[in-house]
Amino acid sequence: MTLPMRSQLKYWGIAAAILIVVLWFLGDVLLPFVVGAAIAYFLDPLADRLEAWGCSRRLATAIITVGAILLFILLALLVIPTLVQQTTQLVQTAPELSRNLQNFLAQRFPDVLAEDGVFRQTMTSLGQTIQERGGELLQTALTSARSLVSVLLLFVIVPVVAVYLLLDWDRMVARIDELLPREHAPTLRQLAHDIDDTLSGFIRGMGTVCLILGTYYALALMLVGLQFGLVVGVVAGFLTFIPYVGAIVGGVLAIGLALFQFWGEWYWIVAVAVIFQLGQFIEGNVLTPKLVGDSVGLHPVWLLLAMSVFGTLFGFVGLLVAVPVAAALGVVARFLVTQYKNSALYLGGDPDGPR
């Protein structure tokens, strides 16, 4: 017997309410499990590719795990210490950079920097604020992370959860498919397929683009000798998921630092600008079309709104679940619009009758 629509909406509403309550009260505890699930989802296509090449699921998971361990060791020994050191130095030298900018403007635009002018006071206070609050912000972030879940749990539970979920991913999907309501199973499968396409296009595609561009920017800026090249490259790569923002923020920061460091050596400043121009060309003409595609269906504004709302409501865990929830809501919204356009409410008569 088919359940009435009102009863179905009631049960789905109860399930959604339970999920929200669980995220609200258990968000801190769920953090390592959400991170582990995200890692497993990201790596599942690689495991499937290894299986297609003749590996068993266990062997594919083992290969990925060993590769991840080696990559983590490499990052921990070479990249992370340098990144932390450069970030600390950048925070400490912010007041000096502010003073240099004031001197530069005072020499060439004396009217802009009057002794008691607003711009001079703003630049002075900005440099002092970055120095005073930068370290405090990093310390607060670390303290908050420890209050959410200990670093030990993150480094122990996340890899274990990721490995087990990656190993059993296909079986989990099949098990969930068995539990779908039979009446709505085809529709739910299609919605899940569309959501997966959106997520795979954005998370896997844009994640790979961010990683490639961040690595490119960092290495290229370090090769030209920019003092904080690694930090700038990481920031630019991380912000690449928002169109043009990564290149603009990273380019302005890099060129600004290059002006102070390479003043008089214009070829190095031009080299820094060319690095970001080339990065934009590669992203727009090679990486994004190949890895993301043209029909991801996840608008950046919608993504930022979801991250802001879920981050405010559920903290760091909310930020992690914001992207899949935004993708799911976008797919469901498009499905409902299609249903509406095929309904009598939109057509003004019998939707199956003559039009």
Side-chain angles (χ1 to χ4, degrees):
M1 182 178 66
T2 304
L3 282 176
M5 180 61 67
R6 180 175 298 178
S7 298
Q8 295 186 34
L9 291 176
K10 180 181 70 175
Y11 291 131
W12 285 111
I14 292 174
I18 291 174
L19 177 61
I20 292 174
V21 171
V22 169
L23 286 176
W24 184 275
F25 288 101
L26 298 180
D28 299 351
V29 179
L30 294 176
L31 176 59
F33 299 93
V34 173
V35 175
I39 294 174
Y41 176 79
F42 187 85
L43 295 175
D44 178 62
L46 179 58
D48 293 339
R49 181 65 60 87
L50 291 175
E51 282 188 287
W53 290 345
C55 297
S56 65
R57 189 70 181 191
R58 290 181 179 275
L59 179 58
T61 303
I63 293 174
I64 294 172
T65 302
V66 172
I69 292 174
L70 294 177
L71 179 61
F72 176 78
I73 293 174
L74 181 65
L75 291 175
L77 293 178
L78 300 179
V79 179
I80 295 178
T82 305
L83 180 62
V84 173
Q85 180 184 8
Q86 288 194 10
T87 304
T88 304
Q89 291 177 351
L90 182 59
V91 170
Q92 291 176 348
T93 56
E96 180 181 354
L97 294 175
S98 176
R99 288 192 296 269
N100 292 339
L101 178 59
Q102 292 180 47
N103 295 332
F104 172 80
L105 294 176
Q107 292 175 4
R108 287 158 180 82
F109 309 100
D111 295 336
V112 176
L113 289 177
E115 188 65 27
D116 298 328
V118 176
F119 188 80
R120 176 183 286 273
Q121 296 176 359
T122 301
M123 293 303 301
T124 302
S125 62
L126 178 62
Q128 294 174 350
T129 301
I130 293 176
Q131 185 180 32
E132 294 172 0
R133 299 297 183 185
E136 181 180 337
L137 179 62
L138 292 175
Q139 184 63 33
T140 302
L142 292 175
T143 303
S144 300
R146 293 191 188 99
S147 65
L148 291 173
V149 62
S150 68
V151 177
L152 179 62
L153 286 178
L154 283 175
F155 279 97
V156 173
I157 294 182
V158 169
V160 173
V161 171
V163 169
Y164 275 107
L165 290 181
L166 182 61
L167 182 63
D168 296 329
W169 191 267
D170 293 338
R171 281 179 288 187
M172 276 194 318
V173 172
R175 180 59 177 164
I176 293 173
D177 183 78
E178 291 178 2
L179 298 176
L180 294 178
R182 294 298 93 185
E183 180 184 0
H184 303 292
T187 302
L188 292 175
R189 289 191 190 104
Q190 184 60 46
L191 289 174
H193 181 268
D194 294 341
I195 293 172
D196 180 65
D197 285 344
T198 302
L199 280 178
S200 62
F202 187 84
I203 294 181
R204 293 172 182 148
M206 284 305 301
T208 305
V209 170
C210 291
L211 180 62
I212 293 174
L213 283 181
T215 303
Y216 159 73
Y217 286 138
L219 291 177
L221 293 175
M222 291 175 68
L223 285 175
V224 299
L226 190 66
Q227 188 175 2
F228 303 107
L230 181 60
V231 177
V232 175
V234 170
V235 171
F238 178 76
L239 294 177
T240 298
F241 79 96
I242 310 175
Y244 304 109
V245 172
I248 292 174
V249 173
V252 170
L253 184 57
I255 294 174
L257 292 172
L259 286 173
F260 291 116
Q261 183 177 345
F262 302 124
W263 184 257
E265 300 176 297
W266 296 105
Y267 47 89
W268 290 119
I269 301 174
V270 172
V272 171
V274 169
I275 287 172
F276 279 89
Q277 288 291 332
L278 182 59
Q280 274 293 283
F281 177 82
I282 295 174
E283 176 193 358
N285 293 277
V286 180
L287 295 179
T288 300
K290 294 291 185 181
L291 299 177
V292 181
D294 299 325
S295 57
V296 173
L298 196 58
H299 196 278
V301 175
W302 174 241
L303 174 66
L304 291 176
L305 176 62
M307 294 180 69
S308 300
V309 172
F310 277 81
T312 301
L313 292 177
F314 306 112
F316 187 67
V317 175
L319 291 175
L320 294 178
V321 301
V323 174
V325 170
L329 291 178
V331 170
V332 171
R334 290 191 290 272
F335 170 77
L336 293 177
V337 168
T338 302
Q339 295 296 107
Y340 164 69
K341 288 186 174 181
N342 292 326
S343 68
L345 179 62
Y346 176 78
L347 297 174
D350 184 3
D352 298 323
R355 300 179 184 177

